[in-house]
Amino acid sequence: MAVVRGMTRVRSQSPPHCLSLNSQQKCFFTMFRNILIGISAALILQHILSVIYSLGFHKRAYNHRPGSCRVVTGIDSGSEDIHVLRNGLALITSGIDLTPLGHLMDPSGLTWKGRIYLFDFKQPNANVTELPILGSFDHSDFRPHGISVWEEETQTTVFVVNHKQHREAIEVLSLNQDNKSLQYLYSITDPLMRSVNDVVAVGSNSFYFTNDGYNNQLFKRFLERFLKFPWGNVIYYDGDAGRGQVVVSRGLEPNGINRSPDGRYIYVSSPIVGTVTVYEQQADHALQPIQVIDLSTSPDNIYVDSTSGDLWLGCHMIGYQSMLHFQNFTQPAASQAFSPVMLMPVAYYKSILFRQCQCKTCNV
Ligand SMILES: *[C@@H]1O[C@H](CO)[C@@H](O)[C@H](O)[C@H]1NC(C)=O
Ligand SMILES: *[C@@H]1O[C@H](CO)[C@@H](O)[C@H](O)[C@H]1NC(C)=O
Ligand SMILES: *[C@@H]1O[C@H](CO)[C@@H](O)[C@H](O)[C@H]1NC(C)=O
């Protein structure tokens, strides 16, 4: 009581602030605290605004149909990725697992079945056919995501990301092109497979894959995304050694991954940042970042033209529309096929120059 009264007296006895050393210190701390609060508030506001901006409320999509586009029916139940072989045969994964979205997912997604479809670009007017998977393959535990194919003279090896019920896996299959079937070979699991999105084969027995985040639980993943924690990564898996190794340790939702036709470059997309990062593959399979291409749209999977080396990106143009689409598949979301034009490396300088964007959009 006496102490309190004493303090009250001291305060009331020193009328103007900042006269004694004591109150100068107090002033300094108050000022310092206010500056800290101000900076934090500005940073939080900036973060919230950047998240709102990335949802694309300010964007408008216009239809461009430069080539002859056609809707291929029969693959509209969660098709995620496509790989086109040199002879024009395309393998398409279908039945993506959206259950991590919980109640935010359109319930009809629960009826989807994991399948791999075949489309022949040499017969563009034909429809898809389902590729049967033969061997001791568990069809009921197949929720495919990214796909990649390694082509050799005698063997065509297919790698498919599978979100199994209890763990992530990459299924290895062999494509029989004569009778159009897949033979299941084996499954690869690795402690480094946390939330696998896409895979790119660099040999019949080795590949890179992306983990698009760290948490698998809906709310934790939401926080991870919202706070933009770079907890995704890129892993190289060596089939001979039988284990993976981290080659890009931090990434904000690394998603699609693909390689240049000569295998020198590896491309990784990040829809949340709106970029494609170009890496140079080193002799030990480490990835050396060379360039970040800013796209102002959200690139998902990357297709590389095997002759020209051009990239074609499947993009979610307007973020909030994509989110609404996941909740109700009857809600359309603008999508974009996008090809940034690359110049080949100039002289000795190890860079790929980004010249211009050709916005070749095919909205259907
Ligand atoms: C492809 O499927 C559509 C819709 O199911 C059908 O109308 C069309 O005739 C089919 N085309 C061929 C070449 O079978
Ligand atoms: C295709 O050929 C392979 C190897 O000859 C055989 O094992 C498989 O049963 C065939 N698939 C179909 C669908 O006939
Ligand atoms: C999706 O939207 C349509 C049209 O607005 C509506 O009829 C349907 O019930 C909705 N579906 C779900 C799962 O909410």
Side-chain angles (χ1 to χ4, degrees), residues 59 80 255 271 297-301 314-319 322 326 333-336:
K59 284 189 181 171
E80 222 286 337
N255 190 309
T297 185
S298 295
D300 195 314
N301 284 322
C315 307
H316 308 281
M317 192 182 167
I318 301 180
S322 306
F326 283 131
S335 55
Q336 202 178 22

Side-chain angles (χ1 to χ4, degrees), residues 159-195:
F159 299 86
V160 187
V161 174
N162 185 8
H163 301 294
K164 296 175 92 140
Q165 188 100 47
H166 297 297
R167 68 186 308 177
E168 301 284 83
I170 289 181
E171 311 291 357
V172 187
L173 313 135
S174 164
L175 173 68
N176 185 324
Q177 297 198 36
D178 299 329
N179 67 10
K180 309 275 187 288
S181 67
L182 288 164
Q183 175 70 42
Y184 167 69
L185 299 177
Y186 51 93
S187 298
I188 296 173
T189 55
D190 191 277
L192 291 172
M193 293 180 185
R194 279 207 64 90
S195 175

Side-chain angles (χ1 to χ4, degrees), residues 1 5 14 67 71 112 159 175 245 247 262 279 285 336:
M1 203 56 180
R5 218 179 284 137
S14 53
V71 179
W112 291 346
F159 299 86
L175 173 68
Q245 82 192 63
V247 285
D262 61 3
Y279 296 93
H285 301 288
Q336 202 178 22

Side-chain angles (χ1 to χ4, degrees), residues 70 73 125-127:
R70 160 178 173 240
T73 54
N125 294 317
N127 285 328

Side-chain angles (χ1 to χ4, degrees), residues 106-107 327-331:
D106 187 320
Q327 284 171 38
N328 189 330
F329 299 145
T330 65
Q331 295 276 332

